[in-house]
Amino acid sequence: MSAHPIQLVIFGATGDLTLRKLMPALTRLAEKGLPEEGFHVVGVSRAERDHDQYRAELRDALPSKQHAAFDAIAQRVTYVSADVMVPEHMHRLGEHLDGLPGGKDSTRIFYLSLAPSLFTSAVTHLAQARFVEMAETEALARA
């Protein structure tokens, strides 16, 4: 188990899946104190907005009974306007992640809430930015 908070990076963070499914589930986990080491959610999407705008959008999409729980974790939710296909944007994302508690020592989970047709290119660009390692590119190309 890592002593550092987990960094959950959600690409396509302004989409319906994030708003209706992922954030309610993450809020419920946080209510239960899970994971023990805590987590940060970093929303990534091409749309321009700041951290507070993104937090407000997420909160508004949650059922009202989860507002208090979300408010407790809101400062651990941040937003980066970036396109996974643009190397400079991935560099900016890396700087943001490195600046969070735990930095490079945190476990990073990348969730692709993107159209399936973008998966191969997205993972390739994440590998080029050294966020992930691609050991079996043939398997990925068949996916």
Side-chain angles (χ1 to χ4, degrees):
M1 174 178 6
S2 170
H4 303 289
I6 293 168
Q7 296 175 352
L8 175 59
V9 183
I10 304 172
F11 288 93
T14 57
D16 189 57
L17 177 66
T18 300
L19 298 175
R20 289 189 322 106
K21 299 293 183 182
L22 295 176
M23 283 314 299
L26 292 170
T27 301
R28 283 192 298 275
L29 279 175
E31 279 183 294
K32 296 176 181 179
L34 297 172
E36 288 181 16
E37 60 269 48
F39 62 88
H40 291 273
V41 175
V42 180
V44 180
S45 189
R46 293 177 296 180
E48 289 290 331
R49 54 178 51 82
D50 62 28
H51 302 308
D52 290 331
Q53 289 169 324
Y54 183 59
R55 291 175 188 133
E57 185 178 340
L58 293 174
R59 188 180 193 276
D60 289 346
L62 288 169
S64 59
K65 65 183 179 184
Q66 284 193 299
H67 285 180
F70 179 79
D71 292 345
I73 66 165
Q75 292 306 308
R76 293 187 276 153
V77 177
T78 57
Y79 182 82
V80 175
S81 175
D83 185 335
V84 71
M85 305 303 179
V86 179
E88 297 81 23
H89 291 190
M90 293 302 91
H91 177 73
R92 184 174 13 147
L93 174 61
E95 289 177 345
H96 179 78
L97 295 174
D98 291 348
L100 293 175
K104 290 182 181 184
D105 294 326
S106 290
T107 298
R108 291 180 177 165
I109 299 170
F110 295 93
Y111 190 97
L112 302 180
S113 184
L114 304 169
S117 62
L118 298 175
F119 285 9
T120 300
S121 296
V123 172
T124 299
H125 285 92
L126 288 170
Q128 289 171 347
R130 300 187 191 267
F131 286 127
V132 297
E133 293 180 25
M134 291 180 54
E136 305 227 5
T137 55
E138 285 183 36
L140 180 63
R142 288 190 301 256

